[in-house]
């Protein structure tokens, strides 16, 4: 079984050098500010001039693109593609609306792909740091930019990176009602934050369940896919532990078979985390329950989080909020600074 943690014994201010936990708790306030910033965006293309939308990003920025696709994609009349890497798809051209996402503004894959999009004649919108190279390019090209708040840690900017494009898509007529969805999400994040601060903290409970095991995070459908991958990323980046994620129905076609061997080993090292939400397809919900039943005896423990809030965006951001805090809880309980990511920086430097 997993080992209990005691975060109460940790000096948070000393260990959390960048105040990551506080940044997460301020997320509803940041989103409220973004609603105002989104109203000032102009120079966007006309809806009728756009045949496809391409979102460029890497890491958490690309996951922000996945979030946009999961929330807005089903309502859009044109295809939405998330692109990771240097070389753009060949279809990108004057009828493409490109949204470039980079918290730092210096992600080399994103910068190079955005330059290629500009050369291809695509319409551009950048969501980035006001001090980064991507913002400089936007100024030179006279293309619109939504600046990210300067006081926000780049590690927690997935949500602002995702919400700002939703506002732009609403302005263009591709995603009507985005502001209403965001308002509902802000309200839910405020409720969740207040509950956490008053002691009703599912993140801490799940962190104690995980202990020193390795989390396997499962979700359902596009919403669950984004949420589970975000949890995995934050366990990797923040808690500095191996973690794995997948989603129903995809895992039902492959991964479920992998639990058929070595149960005596897996039940010592893995904890399954189930992320559930109200938008699950009925078939996915039934399969999720079956997967939970089939894997119950081959994991050390199980934790379940049911999303709260009204609307798809609110429930997805609620799952992400709890996951971000859970990763911080694990890091702090082990005396690990959740902020710096030296391994990522070391690999990144090799490409320069």
């Amino acid at each position: 079984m997993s080992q209990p943690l005691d975060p109460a014994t940790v000096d948070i201010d000393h260990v959390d050098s960048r105040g990551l936990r506080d940044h997460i708790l301020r997320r509803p306030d940041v989103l409220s500010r973004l609603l105002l910033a989104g109203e000032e965006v102009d120079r966007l293309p006309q809806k009728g001039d756009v045949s496809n939308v391409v979102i460029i990003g890497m890491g958490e920025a690309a996951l922000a693109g996945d979030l946009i696709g999961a929330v807005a994609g089903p309502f859009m009349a044109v295809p939405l593609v998330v692109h990771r890497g240097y070389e753009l798809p060949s279809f990108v051209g004057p009828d493409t609306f490109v949204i470039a996402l980079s918290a730092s503004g210096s992600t080399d894959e994103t910068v190079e792909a955005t330059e290629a999009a500009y050369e291809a004649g695509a319409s551009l919108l950048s969501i980035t740091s006001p001090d980064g190279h991507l913002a400089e390019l936007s100024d030179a090209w006279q293309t619109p930019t939504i600046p990210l708040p300067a006081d926000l840690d780049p590690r927690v900017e997935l949500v602002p990176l995702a919400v700002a494009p939703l506002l732009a898509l609403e302005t263009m007529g591709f995603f009507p009602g985005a502001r209403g969805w965001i308002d509902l999400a802000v309200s839910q994040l405020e409720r969740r934050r207040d509950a956490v601060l008053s002691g009703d903290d599912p993140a801490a409970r799940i962190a104690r369940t995980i202990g020193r095991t390795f989390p396997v995070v499962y979700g359902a459908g596009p919403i669950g896919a984004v949420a589970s991958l975000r949890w995995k990323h934050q366990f990797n980046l923040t808690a500095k532990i191996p973690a794995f994620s997948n989603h129903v129905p995809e895992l039902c076609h492959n991964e479920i078979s992998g639990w058929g061997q070595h149960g005596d080993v897996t039940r010592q090292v893995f904890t399954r985390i189930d992320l559930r939400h109200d938008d699950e397809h009925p078939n996915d919900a039934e399969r999720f329950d079956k997967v939970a039943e089939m894997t119950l005896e081959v994991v050390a423990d199980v934790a379940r989080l049911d999303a709260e809030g009204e609307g798809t965006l609110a429930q997805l951001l609620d799952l992400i909020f709890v996951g971000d805090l859970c990763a911080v809880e694990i890091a702090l309980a082990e005396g690990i600074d959740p902020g710096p990511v030296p391994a990522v920086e070391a690999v990144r430097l090799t490409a320069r």
Side-chain angles (χ1 to χ4, degrees), residues 81-134:
V81 176
V82 179
H83 175 73
R84 295 165 164 88
Y86 293 98
E87 298 180 356
L88 283 177
S90 60
F91 66 78
V92 173
D95 62 344
T96 303
F97 177 46
V98 169
I99 304 174
L101 305 179
S102 174
S104 67
S106 59
T107 308
D108 57 334
E109 298 96 334
T110 301
V111 170
E112 184 170 321
T114 303
E115 290 175 327
Y118 177 75
E119 293 171 0
S123 301
L124 297 175
L125 169 65
S126 299
I127 291 89
T128 187
S129 164
D131 301 321
H133 185 45
L134 194 57

Side-chain angles (χ1 to χ4, degrees), residues 52-58 61-69 76 80-84 88 96-101 110 161-162 165 169:
N52 52 81
V53 176
V54 175
I55 299 176
I56 299 173
M58 295 297 300
L63 188 58
D66 293 336
L67 188 156
I68 296 165
M76 293 182 59
L80 186 152
V81 176
V82 179
H83 175 73
R84 295 165 164 88
L88 283 177
T96 303
F97 177 46
V98 169
I99 304 174
L101 305 179
T110 301
L161 281 169
L169 292 172

Side-chain angles (χ1 to χ4, degrees), residues 16 56 80 95 100 126 138 177 185 201 272 302 331:
D16 188 4
I56 299 173
L80 186 152
D95 62 344
S126 299
S138 296
D201 189 352
R272 197 186 75 234
V302 176

Side-chain angles (χ1 to χ4, degrees), residues 10-71:
V10 177
D11 183 349
I12 293 179
D13 292 335
H14 176 71
V15 178
D16 188 4
S17 65
R18 286 161 52 172
L20 203 62
R21 186 173 188 272
D22 288 339
H23 280 289
I24 297 168
L25 292 172
R26 291 203 302 268
R27 185 167 294 160
D29 304 322
V30 172
L31 293 188
S32 295
R33 287 156 53 192
L34 271 177
L35 279 171
L36 297 176
E39 295 175 355
E40 302 171 358
V41 179
D42 55 11
R43 293 175 290 166
L44 295 172
Q46 297 296 313
K47 179 181 179 182
D49 296 332
V50 175
S51 298
N52 52 81
V53 176
V54 175
I55 299 176
I56 299 173
M58 295 297 300
E60 299 311 283
L63 188 58
D66 293 336
L67 188 156
I68 296 165
V71 173

Side-chain angles (χ1 to χ4, degrees), residues 69-310:
V71 173
F75 301 95
M76 293 182 59
V78 299
L80 186 152
V81 176
V82 179
H83 175 73
R84 295 165 164 88
Y86 293 98
E87 298 180 356
L88 283 177
S90 60
F91 66 78
V92 173
D95 62 344
T96 303
F97 177 46
V98 169
I99 304 174
L101 305 179
S102 174
S104 67
S106 59
T107 308
D108 57 334
E109 298 96 334
T110 301
V111 170
E112 184 170 321
T114 303
E115 290 175 327
Y118 177 75
E119 293 171 0
S123 301
L124 297 175
L125 169 65
S126 299
I127 291 89
T128 187
S129 164
D131 301 321
H133 185 45
L134 194 57
E136 293 176 357
L137 290 174
S138 296
D139 288 342
W141 297 334
Q142 296 186 328
T143 56
T145 300
I146 299 178
L148 293 170
D151 60 344
L152 192 63
D153 192 292
R155 285 280 309 289
V156 297
E157 285 185 348
L158 172 139
V159 173
L161 281 169
V163 167
L166 292 177
L167 294 170
L169 292 172
E170 179 187 47
T171 299
M172 296 169 63
F174 282 121
F175 187 40
R179 282 168 174 77
W181 284 50
I182 297 168
D183 282 334
L184 292 172
V186 170
S187 296
Q188 173 54 33
L189 292 181
E190 290 173 340
R191 286 192 295 271
R192 182 68 81 178
R193 176 191 60 193
D194 294 345
V196 167
L197 293 176
S198 67
D200 182 10
D201 189 352
R205 290 195 295 271
I206 294 173
R208 288 192 293 270
T209 299
I210 295 170
R212 288 186 169 177
T213 63
F214 302 138
V216 178
V217 191
Y218 284 164
I223 299 302
V226 173
S228 60
L229 187 55
R230 172 65 174 189
W231 278 59
K232 170 196 155 31
H233 286 180
Q234 292 308 294
F235 284 139
N236 297 153
L237 293 165
T238 301
K240 281 75 175 177
I241 60 174
F244 309 89
S245 71
N246 210 327
H247 65 282
V248 175
E250 177 61 28
L251 72 88
C252 301
H253 295 271
N254 37 62
E255 183 166 314
I256 187 62
S257 185
W259 292 106
Q261 295 290 330
H262 311 303
D264 57 326
V265 176
T266 60
R267 71 171 58 98
Q268 298 181 57
V269 296
F270 291 120
T271 293
R272 197 186 75 234
I273 313 297
D274 296 343
L275 305 181
R276 307 301 297 262
H277 60 90
D278 291 344
D279 284 346
E280 294 174 4
H281 189 282
N283 290 350
D284 286 346
E286 291 183 7
R287 287 171 174 167
F288 207 143
D289 292 340
K290 185 62 177 178
V291 167
E293 175 189 335
M294 293 173 65
T295 59
L296 182 61
E297 299 299 324
V298 294
V299 293
D301 213 332
V302 176
R304 172 170 170 155
L305 177 66
D306 291 290
E308 297 180 2
E310 183 179 350

